Amino acid sequence: MSRLLIQNGTIVTGDDQFAADVFVIGEKIHAIGPELGRRFAVPPDELVDATGCYVFPGGIDAHTHMELPLKTTTSSDTFASGTGAALIGGTTTILDFANQIPGKTLKSAVKDWHAKANGKALCDYGFHVSVTDFNERTRREIAECVDEGITSFKTFMAYKGALMIDDRQMLEIMEEVKIQKGLVLTHAENGDLIDHLVEKFRKAGSLSPKFHPLSRPVIAEAEACSRIIDLARFADCPLYIVHLSSQSGLQRLAPALETGTEQRRSGKSEKPRAPIIAETCPQYLLLDDSVYSQRGFEGAKYVLSPPLRKASDQKHLWAGLGSGMIKVVATDHCAFTSAQRRLGVKDFSKIPNGVPGVEHRMELLYSEGVHKGRLSLQQFVNITSTNPARIFGLHPQKGAIHAGADADLVVFDPNEEHVISSKTHHMNCDYSVYEGVPVTGACRMTILRGKVVVRRGKLLAPAGYGKYLPRQKFEY
Ligand code: URP
Ligand code: ZN
Ligand code: ZN
């Protein structure tokens, strides 16, 4: 078995930081402590000098869409290209969404996603399953998914006629997921309100990209957040709101997020209520809706749902991360090239939704969060790795640095400065929504299950090195 020693770094975990070496044997962390080089008779095969660097647990991006088929096109990053970019940015595990095709089974969605990822993914991966067509057969399949280690189920309150389900189906899914000890993930936007506005803009001939955010106002998210909390409380089902984008959405969730945390901390309640958890994304923390007024069709690059909001919303999302109300930053990585965007050149509602970002989550969060004093190092590790590992049933194998855990480690130089550009990124997309953004801090080395998979920006992972991760049930 290979032996690797990381020396002279500062190990950072979700609750501590200390100077120590990490000794890795095979795929696992074997020991952590001072001067480990002297303690082992057999010298390591590889010595990594992490002087001046942090050693973080490998990042976990809990929300990606590789090779996502839509009606008219498929997202442009494959499991090979997207997971390679993830590793370069210090993300060692992704959780991707296997979307049920209405009329078909959950099982066939999962089979399709295994076929896309197996033998191609470079980082480790697991799946959520998106339930878009709920019926008695689907209900039975939820238990089968949980048995296979797929323990989180996405539901959509928007994308009517494609992915959206109604409130009755939502409740029935929640009731079943609760019984099976899973977690419901929800895209919270009011689909009817959005459809109504889209139709109005189309009738008025208002078809350019700037009408995308106007057709998905903040109230669509806020209303859906309130409704989904009420449904989750009624069903007493654990709920995770994906890609929260606005202050109003956060305000609606706030009492539920605090109550859940307080209850679990104080242990007052004998039977704690099912928790409600919130996720946001780098694009909502760093970009705002001024981009939609760019010339011509340029604004199309930023068409995603929910859309980008006001700069003032960003402040509240950062505060939510700082206070622990928002537990996870994931990317919602869903890349489409400029050519694919042009499917909506005559009608904004036909622009495929989503932005690329899986490569930059860790460094953007470090630079804008830790370097700018908005987050502590521990918060950074929790938000990017430990919290998603715990929430999605991967802890303590992932998201942690301790003897026995998978040796998924990032050697991170906090002082290296660079500028993000599509000319140097590795995602399969001909533009970057972060073009020109200066970043302080860079991933110098990524180690996945004991193997150096990235060294100074060079991808070294052998084809298909990524492993499928069955996950544990949701505990609270
Ligand atoms: O615009 C987005 N977010 N596209 C990806 C699918 C989703 O809604 O998460
Ligand atoms: Zn969504
Ligand atoms: Zn998504």
Side-chain angles (χ1 to χ4, degrees):
M1 271 197 283
S2 65
R3 300 159 73 86
L4 180 140
L5 177 61
I6 306 172
Q7 286 180 313
N8 308 322
T10 299
I11 296 176
V12 187
T13 66
D15 44 33
D16 207 356
Q17 68 193 71
F18 50 94
D21 297 348
V22 187
F23 204 94
V24 173
I25 300 184
E27 298 199 342
K28 303 283 181 191
I29 295 174
H30 181 74
I32 297 165
E35 303 198 30
L36 289 183
R38 295 188 190 177
R39 274 195 16 212
F40 292 92
V42 183
D45 307 305
E46 175 151 11
L47 254 184
V48 176
D49 182 8
T51 302
C53 290
Y54 294 123
V55 180
F56 295 137
I60 299 175
D61 190 339
H63 187 158
T64 67
H65 301 281
M66 306 299 171
E67 300 178 47
L68 174 70
L70 303 180
K71 275 187 190 143
T72 51
T73 191
T74 297
S75 64
S76 59
D77 260 314
T78 62
F79 268 87
S81 65
T83 56
L87 287 175
I88 287 170
T91 288
T92 48
T93 296
I94 62 162
L95 298 178
D96 205 84
F97 289 84
N99 279 14
Q100 177 191 22
I101 298 171
K104 292 201 177 176
T105 58
L106 301 185
K107 200 175 175 167
S108 76
V110 172
K111 190 167 161 246
D112 287 352
W113 254 256
H114 274 300
K116 291 175 211 253
N118 185 22
K120 291 166 210 138
L122 298 177
C123 77
D124 286 358
Y125 60 94
F127 302 134
H128 315 283
V129 68
S130 303
V131 184
T132 62
D133 183 5
F134 187 73
N135 50 48
E136 277 314 305
R137 184 176 61 180
T138 326
R139 185 196 303 280
R140 289 193 297 275
E141 285 195 283
I142 286 177
E144 291 166 22
C145 286
V146 171
D147 285 345
E148 282 181 37
I150 298 172
T151 51
S152 39
F153 299 85
K154 169 120 179 245
T155 58
F156 292 87
M157 300 172 89
Y159 302 127
K160 199 166 183 179
L163 306 168
M164 178 173 153
I165 55 168
D166 63 27
D167 288 352
R168 177 177 174 171
Q169 289 175 310
M170 189 73 79
L171 260 179
E172 292 193 38
I173 292 172
M174 285 177 165
E175 285 169 355
E176 187 60 26
V177 169
K178 179 188 166 59
I179 292 169
Q180 301 307 333
K181 297 194 168 26
L183 175 65
V184 167
L185 276 56
T186 298
H187 175 132
E189 282 188 298
N190 183 317
D192 282 310
L193 192 154
I194 291 164
D195 267 20
H196 171 64
L197 292 178
V198 168
E199 214 38 56
K200 258 181 148 173
F201 285 126
R202 291 170 74 179
K203 279 192 184 135
S206 304
L207 297 169
S208 69
K210 74 173 180 212
F211 293 98
H212 170 73
L214 299 178
S215 71
R216 306 184 90 102
V218 157
I219 191 69
E221 178 170 76
E223 185 281 331
C225 283
S226 293
R227 184 159 35 106
I228 198 71
I229 293 177
D230 285 344
L231 296 179
R233 284 290 187 234
F234 181 76
D236 195 29
C237 176
L239 173 70
Y240 176 102
I241 314 272
V242 296
H243 51 47
L244 184 71
S245 68
S246 66
Q247 175 193 5
S248 301
L250 183 57
Q251 269 171 350
R252 302 283 181 110
L253 296 180
L257 300 171
E258 282 165 2
T259 310
T261 315
E262 290 313 315
Q263 272 194 340
R264 269 171 291 140
R265 239 190 243 134
S266 70
K268 265 184 211 149
S269 158
E270 269 177 30
K271 188 175 164 293
R273 278 202 293 186
I276 291 176
I277 302 163
E279 164 202 284
T280 190
C281 311
Q283 53 270 29
Y284 302 118
L285 294 164
L286 300 181
L287 306 174
D288 67 66
D289 64 358
S290 60
V291 296
Y292 295 114
S293 45
Q294 288 181 9
R295 274 188 311 118
F297 194 59
E298 282 298 289
K301 285 181 202 163
Y302 307 91
V303 166
L304 80 163
S305 296
L308 301 174
R309 306 297 190 186
K310 303 274 172 242
S312 56
D313 287 281
Q314 295 169 3
K315 218 174 59 211
H316 292 274
L317 295 176
W318 279 113
L321 284 171
S323 69
M325 273 203 290
I326 302 177
K327 294 271 185 296
V328 176
V329 173
T331 58
D332 195 8
H333 175 87
C334 193
F336 296 100
T337 63
S338 306
Q340 290 177 295
R341 297 288 195 187
R342 293 193 75 77
L343 286 164
V345 74
K346 293 199 175 119
D347 176 350
F348 72 88
S349 70
K350 297 200 165 53
I351 300 170
N353 280 211
V355 295
V358 73
E359 187 167 345
H360 302 305
R361 182 183 66 119
M362 301 282 280
E363 60 182 23
L364 282 173
L365 251 275
Y366 182 86
S367 188
E368 293 291 320
V370 182
H371 179 69
K372 293 199 174 166
R374 291 161 164 147
L375 300 175
S376 69
L377 279 166
Q378 282 62 47
Q379 287 172 320
F380 168 81
V381 166
N382 280 323
I383 288 163
T384 57
S385 180
T386 308
N387 288 346
R390 285 188 199 280
I391 293 164
F392 292 107
L394 292 168
H395 196 268
Q397 179 193 357
K398 304 280 190 196
I401 302 183
H402 60 82
D406 280 5
D408 297 354
L409 300 162
V410 178
V411 179
F412 192 88
D413 183 342
N415 298 313
E416 195 167 312
E417 295 181 353
H418 61 285
V419 175
I420 295 180
S421 173
S422 62
K423 293 192 181 70
T424 47
H425 77 198
H426 301 80
M427 299 175 289
N428 186 27
C429 195
D430 56 336
Y431 59 86
S432 171
V433 292
Y434 303 109
E435 189 71 37
V437 172
V439 172
T440 301
C443 170
R444 197 194 271 180
M445 178 179 278
T446 309
I447 297 162
L448 171 56
R449 283 180 283 105
K451 187 182 267 305
V452 176
V453 286
V454 176
R455 196 192 307 270
R456 288 214 171 270
K458 197 166 182 318
L459 187 58
L460 306 170
Y465 182 64
K467 199 165 97 177
Y468 171 67
L469 300 169
R471 295 179 289 114
Q472 300 142 31
K473 293 178 180 178
F474 185 79
E475 300 287 347
Y476 61 96

